[in-house]
Amino acid sequence: QGEMSVLQVEKKIKTRVKSQMEKTQREYYLNEQMKAIQKELGDGEDGSNEIAELEAKIAETKLSKEAREKADAEIKKLKNMSPMSAEATVVRNYLDWMLSIPWGKKSRVKKDLSKAQSVLDDDHYGLEKVKERIVEYLAVQQRSSKLKGPIMCLVGPPGVGKTSLGKSVAKATGREFIRISLGGVRDESEIRGHRRTYIGSMPGKIIQALKKAKTTNPLILLDEIDKMGQDFRGDPASAMLEVLDPEQNSTFVDHYLEVEYDLSNVMFLTTSNSYNMPGPLLDRMEIIPLSGYTEDEKLEIAKQHLVTKQVKNHGLKEKEFKIEDSAILGIIRYYTREAGVRNLEREIAKVARKSLTKIIKKEADRVVVTEDNLDEFLGVRKHRYGLAEKEDQIGVVTGLAYTSVGGELLQIEALRLPGKGRMKTTGKLGDVMKESIDAASSYVRSISPKIGVKPPKFDTLDIHVHVPDGATPKDGPSAGLAMVTSIVSVLTQIPVRKDIAMTGEVSLRGNAMPIGGLKEKLLAALRGGITTVLIPQENEKDLPDIPDNVKEGLTIIPVNHVSEVLEHALVRTPEAIEWDQEAEDAAAAAALAAKSSGGDTATAH
């Protein structure tokens, strides 16, 4: 029995080995046949032809010394490998990447300054500072070949044309344009690439962009650089430090390529909505602030670019559709409130759509949009334009705020109530703003006799300061002067002039301190129909940057101290009173003594 089972097992093994040998022999035979056929066709044996091709490519490409050594070493490895192995595929991919990025290929940079200027002017209206900087760069490039690519950061509210400006700059300078969006990038290896040991690894976004551009001196636009996140996989903002430093980026090493690559000829343009990014990163870039557009600039942009673009996009003919300047102004004032022109473009598109529908339905042959019939196309007005307040009121002051979408008018309201001398603040205010209200109220208490208020009166009153809208978070110290004015107005019951707005931080001594975002604040004041704006004396230096039509439309008064603010803002000057604390104390003590002596006699009865 035992021998029988052993024989059965032997027989089983023999048949299995035989069938396997037959299979292997068959495959070997077919492979040999295939090789013979390929040889006859001249397709090379074992991919040696492919290796020869790669070698030829390496010889043609102007690789750096380090890259050439690396490429030769990889070719050597590839020769000793079976062409079908997984490792061979990795090496082949690596060599493909190495040879597909540009080495020493430059695009010819345009040097004609007037041409560049006209290209920039045709594409964008305004934005003088950026254009000036680009033309200066081109001028220097004519004289010096050693100039590294500039690294600029355009900071401004959404919709002012930062990204489209990148395209226009590339066109003006004759560089290839590549856009990399950094919004939401959380992984450091997106910038620097993954190591080759990982399956499916590839170089980072910068090297990929260069492969796409095919030249070593493109313009790379890094969009939304302030929106980069960070998590456990590393911090991409810190990886950007190497890319954006002209001293370091000439030896940029990608984890995948593992050889140095020179990025110093690349022109980097980054865009951002705020300065909210790490300090070292900000320090690497030349910051060019772009502020919102004025009403006149928006009108020009709409006439020169937006209307023609929308008419073309909607297939309207020139004779069929006309939108008058008054209608565009109406859209800017009553239907949009923004620093850029995105919503303006949407509203113009809406007008174009409705007009086209009318024409196709044969309701009209030609549509002319004027200020009077604008509401037929756009419906009810969305925003109020004009004075913030209808009449002079007690305790209501117009302050100026700066938000990410431009300037805003801020109403500051104060009330006095019978109470115990408490100060109450509402309106979702940040800590800095609450502290600025405290400083304002302390200052007002210290000067109370000068404004005609007796100090003991504070102990019988509560003051409540509110800043609408209740849901919008507000912070910052620049409403200090407005707070003081509001508190003084409510204590003295003197109304504040409705056509005056003010901005400025206040110190405990009542001095007006400088603030930021002046241009946006003045634009908001002009938009809101304010005629006079009070600004701190130290901000006078910013006035040359303000467009002339804004300065002509507003009376701008620089002030040094709160006393000057009160003179301008209150309808009449408060009358000072004589206040002698010692005399008051003595009088109070005498009154008390008289009362107690009177009380004694009463008890004796």
Side-chain angles (χ1 to χ4, degrees):
Q1 190 76 34
E3 277 180 15
M4 282 287 284
S5 61
V6 167
L7 283 169
Q8 261 175 342
V9 169
E10 268 181 12
K11 196 180 174 191
K12 223 184 219 174
I13 290 171
K14 260 184 193 165
T15 51
R16 195 183 294 169
V17 169
K18 196 180 174 193
S19 66
Q20 212 154 353
M21 270 174 69
E22 278 173 5
K23 195 180 172 188
T24 315
Q25 275 176 329
R26 182 168 161 268
E27 274 181 14
Y28 177 74
Y29 176 66
L30 288 173
N31 268 334
E32 286 299 316
Q33 232 176 351
M34 201 163 145
K35 277 182 196 169
I37 291 168
Q38 275 181 344
K39 210 167 190 180
E40 285 301 313
L41 286 172
D43 273 3
E45 193 179 315
D46 285 7
S48 60
N49 208 6
E50 183 193 19
I51 292 177
E53 260 174 45
L54 283 171
E55 279 177 331
K57 255 190 194 173
I58 291 172
E60 276 169 35
T61 315
K62 296 178 187 166
L63 296 169
S64 67
K65 189 177 172 217
E66 186 192 10
R68 186 167 296 267
E69 283 170 9
K70 183 87 176 151
D72 289 343
E74 294 294 323
I75 283 277
K76 216 174 190 180
K77 260 195 241 170
L78 192 61
K79 279 179 180 168
N80 299 332
M81 279 179 202
S82 145
M84 291 302 156
S85 72
E87 188 63 22
T89 317
V90 172
V91 174
R92 252 188 240 117
N93 276 349
Y94 174 77
L95 286 167
D96 279 346
W97 267 109
M98 177 87 94
L99 296 170
S100 62
I101 56 175
W103 295 89
K105 281 185 204 159
K106 278 189 177 182
S107 57
R108 286 191 59 193
V109 174
K110 293 178 185 167
K111 290 185 175 169
D112 189 344
L113 298 190
S114 50
K115 220 174 198 173
Q117 185 73 51
S118 68
V119 166
L120 292 168
D121 286 340
D122 290 348
D123 290 350
H124 289 84
Y125 180 82
L127 306 179
E128 298 307 326
K129 267 192 180 167
V130 194
K131 293 179 184 173
E132 199 180 299
R133 177 69 184 84
I134 300 302
V135 173
E136 283 167 11
Y137 169 71
L138 290 175
V140 178
Q141 211 172 30
Q142 286 195 13
R143 287 283 174 93
S144 157
S145 56
K146 290 190 181 72
L147 189 64
K148 302 247 171 83
I151 294 169
M152 290 179 274
C153 181
L154 307 175
V155 181
V160 293
K162 297 185 293 292
T163 307
S164 59
L165 192 65
K167 276 188 194 152
S168 167
V169 169
K171 203 159 91 186
T173 53
R175 290 168 179 260
E176 290 292 324
F177 175 75
I178 303 286
R179 179 177 161 271
I180 300 176
S181 180
L182 294 176
V185 169
R186 292 195 304 268
D187 190 355
E188 172 255 357
S189 45
E190 297 235 5
I191 313 279
R192 283 218 191 109
H194 300 264
R195 299 186 64 84
R196 272 197 291 163
T197 46
Y198 299 116
I199 290 176
S201 60
M202 58 200 299
K205 282 186 188 292
I206 305 287
I207 296 288
Q208 287 178 33
L210 286 161
K211 177 187 176 182
K212 201 167 153 195
K214 297 189 176 63
T215 64
T216 53
N217 62 341
L219 182 146
I220 296 184
L221 180 83
L222 302 168
D223 223 359
E224 312 289 1
I225 197 165
D226 57 331
K227 311 275 188 313
M228 274 193 295
Q230 67 182 88
D231 66 358
F232 60 91
R233 284 173 296 201
D235 176 9
S238 305
M240 289 307 300
L241 295 179
E242 182 187 11
V243 177
L244 294 179
D245 188 338
E247 298 302 319
Q248 294 175 30
N249 68 9
S250 54
T251 56
F252 173 72
V253 178
D254 189 275
H255 287 326
Y256 182 84
L257 293 179
E258 294 170 343
V259 295
E260 290 179 357
Y261 190 83
D262 185 1
L263 294 177
S264 61
N265 293 319
V266 178
M267 182 172 184
F268 286 103
L269 208 63
T270 66
T271 73
S272 155
N273 292 135
S274 68
Y275 296 103
N276 182 19
M277 49 186 133
L281 188 60
L282 263 178
D283 188 51
R284 293 288 193 287
M285 303 180 285
E286 184 178 336
I287 304 281
I288 299 178
L290 300 182
S291 38
Y293 293 118
T294 63
E295 214 169 70
D296 301 7
E297 285 174 331
K298 284 186 185 176
L299 183 62
E300 282 301 318
I301 291 167
K303 277 159 58 179
Q304 289 177 22
H305 302 282
L306 305 181
V307 174
T308 44
K309 180 180 164 188
Q310 292 305 330
V311 165
K312 195 175 159 192
N313 286 355
H314 287 79
L316 282 159
K317 297 189 179 79
E318 287 209 357
K319 293 168 192 163
E320 296 178 327
F321 176 76
K322 183 172 186 280
I323 181 163
E324 290 183 356
D325 289 1
S326 60
I328 298 175
L329 257 182
I331 297 176
I332 294 168
R333 286 178 175 176
Y334 303 113
Y335 292 94
T336 65
R337 181 160 289 177
E338 54 172 355
V341 288
R342 278 214 182 105
N343 280 333
L344 176 59
E345 187 171 11
R346 279 187 203 116
E347 297 298 329
I348 290 173
K350 195 173 177 184
V351 172
R353 275 200 310 275
K354 289 209 162 39
S355 308
L356 185 65
T357 313
K358 273 188 178 180
I359 291 163
I360 286 179
K361 281 184 174 174
K362 303 266 190 308
E363 287 174 22
D365 298 331
R366 183 166 186 266
V367 175
V368 179
V369 183
T370 63
E371 198 178 5
D372 304 323
N373 66 0
L374 191 60
D375 50 356
E376 289 174 28
F377 295 92
L378 296 178
V380 186
R381 290 180 172 182
K382 292 177 188 164
H383 299 286
R384 260 176 65 196
Y385 176 84
L387 264 189
E389 287 300 323
K390 295 278 188 292
E391 64 238 7
D392 300 341
Q393 288 185 354
I394 293 169
V396 179
V397 180
T398 308
L400 297 169
Y402 172 53
T403 64
S404 58
V405 294
E408 282 286 339
L409 289 182
L410 203 64
Q411 300 305 320
I412 292 166
E413 306 170 344
L415 274 183
R416 65 176 199 183
L417 318 151
K420 294 178 182 167
R422 284 183 303 239
M423 188 81 196
K424 193 174 180 188
T425 54
T426 50
K428 204 166 184 195
L429 311 179
D431 293 341
V432 181
M433 204 161 187
K434 282 182 182 161
E435 284 175 10
S436 99
I437 296 179
D438 287 344
S441 87
S442 299
Y443 173 71
V444 173
R445 288 183 78 153
S446 72
I447 59 156
S448 59
K450 291 182 192 166
I451 56 168
V453 177
K454 293 181 178 174
K457 199 169 180 185
F458 283 101
D459 299 332
T460 62
L461 293 175
D462 280 0
I463 293 176
H464 183 160
V465 177
H466 176 65
V467 187
D469 318 312
T472 315
K474 304 162 205 72
D475 206 356
S478 65
L481 289 179
M483 300 288 182
V484 171
T485 311
S486 168
I487 295 169
V488 169
S489 161
V490 90
L491 286 171
T492 56
Q493 295 292 297
I494 299 173
V496 182
R497 282 174 49 198
K498 63 179 185 293
D499 55 0
I500 255 189
M502 59 188 76
T503 181
E505 186 179 340
V506 73
S507 74
L508 267 186
R509 292 171 296 168
N511 294 331
M513 318 255 285
I515 42 90
L518 187 68
K519 180 182 175 184
E520 285 79 4
K521 289 178 179 178
L522 293 180
L523 286 180
L526 191 67
R527 253 203 329 253
I530 300 284
T531 57
T532 310
V533 179
L534 307 178
I535 64 165
Q537 186 91 46
E538 286 183 50
N539 280 104
E540 219 174 346
K541 64 177 189 307
D542 302 329
L543 288 178
D545 295 342
I546 310 290
D548 291 335
N549 60 334
V550 175
K551 287 189 274 200
E552 284 157 19
L554 294 168
T555 311
I556 298 168
I557 305 173
V559 292
N560 253 331
H561 195 266
V562 171
S563 53
E564 297 168 52
V565 177
L566 297 178
E567 271 172 44
H568 291 292
L570 298 179
V571 176
R572 57 178 190 277
T573 315
E575 291 169 18
I577 52 166
E578 288 296 325
W579 180 260
D580 183 350
Q581 190 66 42
E582 287 173 13
E584 291 294 323
D585 289 347
L592 198 67
K595 198 174 176 187
S596 59
S597 63
D600 288 347
T601 48
T603 358
H605 279 288

